[in-house]
mmCIF file of all heavy atoms in Angstrom:
data_model
loop_
_atom_site.group_PDB
_atom_site.id
_atom_site.type_symbol
_atom_site.label_atom_id
_atom_site.label_comp_id
_atom_site.label_asym_id
_atom_site.label_seq_id
_atom_site.Cartn_x
_atom_site.Cartn_y
_atom_site.Cartn_z
ATOM 1 N N ASN A 1 95.771 190.941 136.727
ATOM 2 C CA ASN A 1 96.044 189.525 136.928
ATOM 3 C C ASN A 1 97.264 189.038 136.158
ATOM 4 O O ASN A 1 97.836 187.996 136.488
ATOM 5 C CB ASN A 1 94.839 188.667 136.514
ATOM 6 C CG ASN A 1 93.651 188.822 137.424
ATOM 7 O OD1 ASN A 1 93.548 189.835 138.127
ATOM 8 N ND2 ASN A 1 92.759 187.865 137.427
ATOM 9 N N ALA A 2 97.671 189.780 135.152
ATOM 10 C CA ALA A 2 98.854 189.396 134.382
ATOM 11 C C ALA A 2 100.118 189.356 135.242
ATOM 12 O O ALA A 2 101.109 188.757 134.831
ATOM 13 C CB ALA A 2 99.055 190.324 133.200
ATOM 14 N N TYR A 3 100.067 189.970 136.421
ATOM 15 C CA TYR A 3 101.196 189.871 137.339
ATOM 16 C C TYR A 3 101.231 188.524 138.058
ATOM 17 O O TYR A 3 102.228 188.207 138.688
ATOM 18 C CB TYR A 3 101.133 190.987 138.380
ATOM 19 C CG TYR A 3 101.696 192.299 137.954
ATOM 20 C CD1 TYR A 3 100.874 193.423 137.812
ATOM 21 C CD2 TYR A 3 103.046 192.453 137.650
ATOM 22 C CE1 TYR A 3 101.387 194.638 137.424
ATOM 23 C CE2 TYR A 3 103.557 193.678 137.250
ATOM 24 C CZ TYR A 3 102.731 194.772 137.136
ATOM 25 O OH TYR A 3 103.246 195.977 136.739
ATOM 26 N N ILE A 4 100.143 187.761 138.000
ATOM 27 C CA ILE A 4 100.072 186.504 138.751
ATOM 28 C C ILE A 4 99.954 185.268 137.878
ATOM 29 O O ILE A 4 100.819 184.364 137.931
ATOM 30 C CB ILE A 4 98.888 186.551 139.754
ATOM 31 C CG1 ILE A 4 99.172 187.524 140.890
ATOM 32 C CG2 ILE A 4 98.631 185.134 140.309
ATOM 33 C CD1 ILE A 4 100.279 187.119 141.848
ATOM 34 N N PHE A 5 98.916 185.184 137.044
ATOM 35 C CA PHE A 5 98.638 183.901 136.415
ATOM 36 C C PHE A 5 99.721 183.415 135.448
ATOM 37 O O PHE A 5 99.984 182.218 135.366
ATOM 38 C CB PHE A 5 97.242 183.857 135.777
ATOM 39 C CG PHE A 5 97.067 184.702 134.539
ATOM 40 C CD1 PHE A 5 97.491 184.264 133.288
ATOM 41 C CD2 PHE A 5 96.432 185.937 134.602
ATOM 42 C CE1 PHE A 5 97.311 185.031 132.166
ATOM 43 C CE2 PHE A 5 96.245 186.703 133.494
ATOM 44 C CZ PHE A 5 96.699 186.255 132.243
ATOM 45 N N PRO A 6 100.424 184.317 134.713
ATOM 46 C CA PRO A 6 101.481 183.786 133.844
ATOM 47 C C PRO A 6 102.645 183.188 134.624
ATOM 48 O O PRO A 6 103.145 182.090 134.311
ATOM 49 C CB PRO A 6 101.922 185.006 133.033
ATOM 50 C CG PRO A 6 100.739 185.936 133.075
ATOM 51 C CD PRO A 6 100.179 185.736 134.436
ATOM 52 N N GLY A 7 103.077 183.877 135.710
ATOM 53 C CA GLY A 7 104.168 183.349 136.521
ATOM 54 C C GLY A 7 103.787 182.095 137.249
ATOM 55 O O GLY A 7 104.574 181.129 137.321
ATOM 56 N N LEU A 8 102.594 182.076 137.826
ATOM 57 C CA LEU A 8 102.104 180.861 138.487
ATOM 58 C C LEU A 8 102.107 179.698 137.519
ATOM 59 O O LEU A 8 102.586 178.589 137.836
ATOM 60 C CB LEU A 8 100.683 181.103 138.997
ATOM 61 C CG LEU A 8 99.969 179.924 139.649
ATOM 62 C CD1 LEU A 8 100.314 179.812 141.108
ATOM 63 C CD2 LEU A 8 98.462 180.039 139.482
ATOM 64 N N SER A 9 101.620 179.937 136.299
ATOM 65 C CA SER A 9 101.536 178.864 135.308
ATOM 66 C C SER A 9 102.907 178.434 134.841
ATOM 67 O O SER A 9 103.150 177.237 134.589
ATOM 68 C CB SER A 9 100.693 179.353 134.115
ATOM 69 O OG SER A 9 99.412 179.763 134.561
ATOM 70 N N LEU A 10 103.838 179.359 134.713
ATOM 71 C CA LEU A 10 105.222 179.002 134.352
ATOM 72 C C LEU A 10 105.775 178.032 135.382
ATOM 73 O O LEU A 10 106.424 177.025 135.023
ATOM 74 C CB LEU A 10 106.074 180.243 134.276
ATOM 75 C CG LEU A 10 107.578 180.029 133.991
ATOM 76 C CD1 LEU A 10 107.786 179.440 132.611
ATOM 77 C CD2 LEU A 10 108.355 181.332 134.149
ATOM 78 N N GLY A 11 105.553 178.284 136.667
ATOM 79 C CA GLY A 11 106.036 177.378 137.695
ATOM 80 C C GLY A 11 105.372 176.006 137.614
ATOM 81 O O GLY A 11 106.039 174.975 137.747
ATOM 82 N N VAL A 12 104.067 175.989 137.350
ATOM 83 C CA VAL A 12 103.341 174.723 137.226
ATOM 84 C C VAL A 12 103.939 173.884 136.112
ATOM 85 O O VAL A 12 104.183 172.673 136.274
ATOM 86 C CB VAL A 12 101.845 174.977 136.961
ATOM 87 C CG1 VAL A 12 101.141 173.685 136.626
ATOM 88 C CG2 VAL A 12 101.193 175.613 138.170
ATOM 89 N N LEU A 13 104.203 174.500 134.969
ATOM 90 C CA LEU A 13 104.707 173.777 133.819
ATOM 91 C C LEU A 13 106.167 173.365 134.014
ATOM 92 O O LEU A 13 106.575 172.238 133.682
ATOM 93 C CB LEU A 13 104.572 174.605 132.535
ATOM 94 C CG LEU A 13 103.239 174.469 131.801
ATOM 95 C CD1 LEU A 13 102.063 174.955 132.641
ATOM 96 C CD2 LEU A 13 103.277 175.249 130.497
ATOM 97 N N ALA A 14 106.971 174.300 134.557
ATOM 98 C CA ALA A 14 108.408 174.060 134.663
ATOM 99 C C ALA A 14 108.734 172.878 135.572
ATOM 100 O O ALA A 14 109.694 172.130 135.310
ATOM 101 C CB ALA A 14 109.121 175.326 135.138
ATOM 102 N N CYS A 15 107.960 172.708 136.650
ATOM 103 C CA CYS A 15 108.256 171.629 137.602
ATOM 104 C C CYS A 15 107.159 170.574 137.670
ATOM 105 O O CYS A 15 107.160 169.729 138.551
ATOM 106 C CB CYS A 15 108.517 172.209 138.984
ATOM 107 S SG CYS A 15 110.094 173.133 139.067
ATOM 108 N N LYS A 16 106.248 170.621 136.705
ATOM 109 C CA LYS A 16 105.200 169.617 136.562
ATOM 110 C C LYS A 16 104.392 169.444 137.872
ATOM 111 O O LYS A 16 104.289 168.357 138.437
ATOM 112 C CB LYS A 16 105.775 168.280 136.111
ATOM 113 C CG LYS A 16 106.429 168.351 134.732
ATOM 114 C CD LYS A 16 106.873 167.009 134.203
ATOM 115 C CE LYS A 16 107.435 167.105 132.796
ATOM 116 N NZ LYS A 16 107.870 165.826 132.259
ATOM 117 N N ILE A 17 103.829 170.558 138.312
ATOM 118 C CA ILE A 17 102.986 170.567 139.536
ATOM 119 C C ILE A 17 101.627 169.937 139.225
ATOM 120 O O ILE A 17 101.061 170.144 138.161
ATOM 121 C CB ILE A 17 102.847 172.003 140.046
ATOM 122 C CG1 ILE A 17 104.185 172.473 140.635
ATOM 123 C CG2 ILE A 17 101.741 172.129 141.074
ATOM 124 C CD1 ILE A 17 104.234 173.948 141.007
ATOM 125 N N THR A 18 101.107 169.164 140.166
ATOM 126 C CA THR A 18 99.874 168.420 139.925
ATOM 127 C C THR A 18 98.670 168.977 140.663
ATOM 128 O O THR A 18 97.545 168.504 140.454
ATOM 129 C CB THR A 18 100.057 166.940 140.331
ATOM 130 O OG1 THR A 18 100.411 166.887 141.714
ATOM 131 C CG2 THR A 18 101.160 166.285 139.492
ATOM 132 N N LYS A 19 98.876 169.923 141.585
ATOM 133 C CA LYS A 19 97.743 170.445 142.373
ATOM 134 C C LYS A 19 98.066 171.870 142.816
ATOM 135 O O LYS A 19 99.235 172.194 143.061
ATOM 136 C CB LYS A 19 97.496 169.558 143.597
ATOM 137 C CG LYS A 19 96.205 169.850 144.321
ATOM 138 C CD LYS A 19 96.059 168.961 145.538
ATOM 139 C CE LYS A 19 95.868 167.506 145.193
ATOM 140 N NZ LYS A 19 95.564 166.667 146.409
ATOM 141 N N LEU A 20 97.032 172.712 142.919
ATOM 142 C CA LEU A 20 97.223 174.117 143.300
ATOM 143 C C LEU A 20 96.342 174.446 144.509
ATOM 144 O O LEU A 20 95.284 175.034 144.375
ATOM 145 C CB LEU A 20 96.886 175.035 142.118
ATOM 146 C CG LEU A 20 97.885 175.027 140.967
ATOM 147 C CD1 LEU A 20 97.317 175.781 139.771
ATOM 148 C CD2 LEU A 20 99.210 175.624 141.405
ATOM 149 N N PRO A 21 96.809 174.101 145.710
ATOM 150 C CA PRO A 21 96.048 174.479 146.905
ATOM 151 C C PRO A 21 96.114 175.983 147.122
ATOM 152 O O PRO A 21 96.934 176.690 146.518
ATOM 153 C CB PRO A 21 96.774 173.742 148.043
ATOM 154 C CG PRO A 21 98.154 173.491 147.507
ATOM 155 C CD PRO A 21 98.017 173.321 146.020
ATOM 156 N N ASP A 22 95.260 176.489 147.999
ATOM 157 C CA ASP A 22 95.170 177.925 148.238
ATOM 158 C C ASP A 22 96.503 178.557 148.589
ATOM 159 O O ASP A 22 96.782 179.722 148.265
ATOM 160 C CB ASP A 22 94.166 178.225 149.369
ATOM 161 C CG ASP A 22 92.713 178.155 148.881
ATOM 162 O OD1 ASP A 22 92.514 178.281 147.655
ATOM 163 O OD2 ASP A 22 91.815 177.968 149.714
ATOM 164 N N ASN A 23 97.354 177.800 149.317
ATOM 165 C CA ASN A 23 98.609 178.387 149.760
ATOM 166 C C ASN A 23 99.506 178.793 148.598
ATOM 167 O O ASN A 23 100.364 179.672 148.741
ATOM 168 C CB ASN A 23 99.353 177.410 150.677
ATOM 169 C CG ASN A 23 100.277 178.120 151.630
ATOM 170 O OD1 ASN A 23 99.861 179.065 152.316
ATOM 171 N ND2 ASN A 23 101.544 177.726 151.661
ATOM 172 N N MET A 24 99.312 178.162 147.441
ATOM 173 C CA MET A 24 100.086 178.544 146.257
ATOM 174 C C MET A 24 99.832 180.013 145.891
ATOM 175 O O MET A 24 100.720 180.725 145.426
ATOM 176 C CB MET A 24 99.708 177.666 145.061
ATOM 177 C CG MET A 24 100.260 176.251 145.118
ATOM 178 S SD MET A 24 102.050 176.205 144.921
ATOM 179 C CE MET A 24 102.273 174.459 144.618
ATOM 180 N N PHE A 25 98.599 180.475 146.114
ATOM 181 C CA PHE A 25 98.242 181.838 145.737
ATOM 182 C C PHE A 25 98.745 182.833 146.792
ATOM 183 O O PHE A 25 99.092 183.960 146.454
ATOM 184 C CB PHE A 25 96.752 181.931 145.513
ATOM 185 C CG PHE A 25 96.326 181.090 144.344
ATOM 186 C CD1 PHE A 25 95.927 179.775 144.528
ATOM 187 C CD2 PHE A 25 96.354 181.587 143.057
ATOM 188 C CE1 PHE A 25 95.575 178.961 143.453
ATOM 189 C CE2 PHE A 25 95.992 180.806 141.972
ATOM 190 C CZ PHE A 25 95.617 179.491 142.155
ATOM 191 N N LEU A 26 98.847 182.387 148.051
ATOM 192 C CA LEU A 26 99.498 183.209 149.068
ATOM 193 C C LEU A 26 100.984 183.368 148.730
ATOM 194 O O LEU A 26 101.531 184.473 148.823
ATOM 195 C CB LEU A 26 99.369 182.530 150.435
ATOM 196 C CG LEU A 26 98.105 182.777 151.258
ATOM 197 C CD1 LEU A 26 98.149 181.955 152.536
ATOM 198 C CD2 LEU A 26 97.947 184.237 151.576
ATOM 199 N N VAL A 27 101.605 182.288 148.325
ATOM 200 C CA VAL A 27 103.014 182.320 147.935
ATOM 201 C C VAL A 27 103.221 183.257 146.747
ATOM 202 O O VAL A 27 104.158 184.079 146.727
ATOM 203 C CB VAL A 27 103.508 180.897 147.594
ATOM 204 C CG1 VAL A 27 104.864 180.932 146.890
ATOM 205 C CG2 VAL A 27 103.597 180.056 148.870
ATOM 206 N N ALA A 28 102.350 183.154 145.749
ATOM 207 C CA ALA A 28 102.462 184.011 144.566
ATOM 208 C C ALA A 28 102.283 185.479 144.922
ATOM 209 O O ALA A 28 103.008 186.350 144.427
ATOM 210 C CB ALA A 28 101.456 183.585 143.513
ATOM 211 N N ALA A 29 101.318 185.785 145.808
ATOM 212 C CA ALA A 29 101.062 187.165 146.227
ATOM 213 C C ALA A 29 102.272 187.730 146.947
ATOM 214 O O ALA A 29 102.682 188.887 146.717
ATOM 215 C CB ALA A 29 99.816 187.226 147.101
ATOM 216 N N ARG A 30 102.834 186.947 147.853
ATOM 217 C CA ARG A 30 104.008 187.415 148.602
ATOM 218 C C ARG A 30 105.214 187.611 147.656
ATOM 219 O O ARG A 30 105.985 188.564 147.827
ATOM 220 C CB ARG A 30 104.353 186.417 149.706
ATOM 221 C CG ARG A 30 103.319 186.390 150.823
ATOM 222 C CD ARG A 30 103.857 185.613 152.031
ATOM 223 N NE ARG A 30 102.898 185.613 153.115
ATOM 224 C CZ ARG A 30 102.209 184.540 153.490
ATOM 225 N NH1 ARG A 30 102.370 183.374 152.876
ATOM 226 N NH2 ARG A 30 101.362 184.625 154.500
ATOM 227 N N ALA A 31 105.360 186.698 146.716
ATOM 228 C CA ALA A 31 106.474 186.830 145.752
ATOM 229 C C ALA A 31 106.312 188.099 144.916
ATOM 230 O O ALA A 31 107.314 188.764 144.619
ATOM 231 C CB ALA A 31 106.523 185.598 144.849
#
């Protein structure tokens, strides 16, 4: 999971994201 949750969280913090719908995880997996 270290391949996903740190990067996902960096994006959330960097751009001040307020919600994480399922599609965010599809995007992270493809990235």
Side-chain angles (χ1 to χ4, degrees):
N1 291 22
Y3 277 115
I4 290 291
F5 70 81
L8 177 86
S9 303
L10 176 66
V12 171
L13 273 62
C15 291
K16 297 186 176 181
I17 289 172
T18 60
K19 191 182 293 186
L20 288 170
D22 281 339
N23 206 52
M24 286 290 194
F25 297 90
L26 276 176
V27 167
R30 291 192 179 109

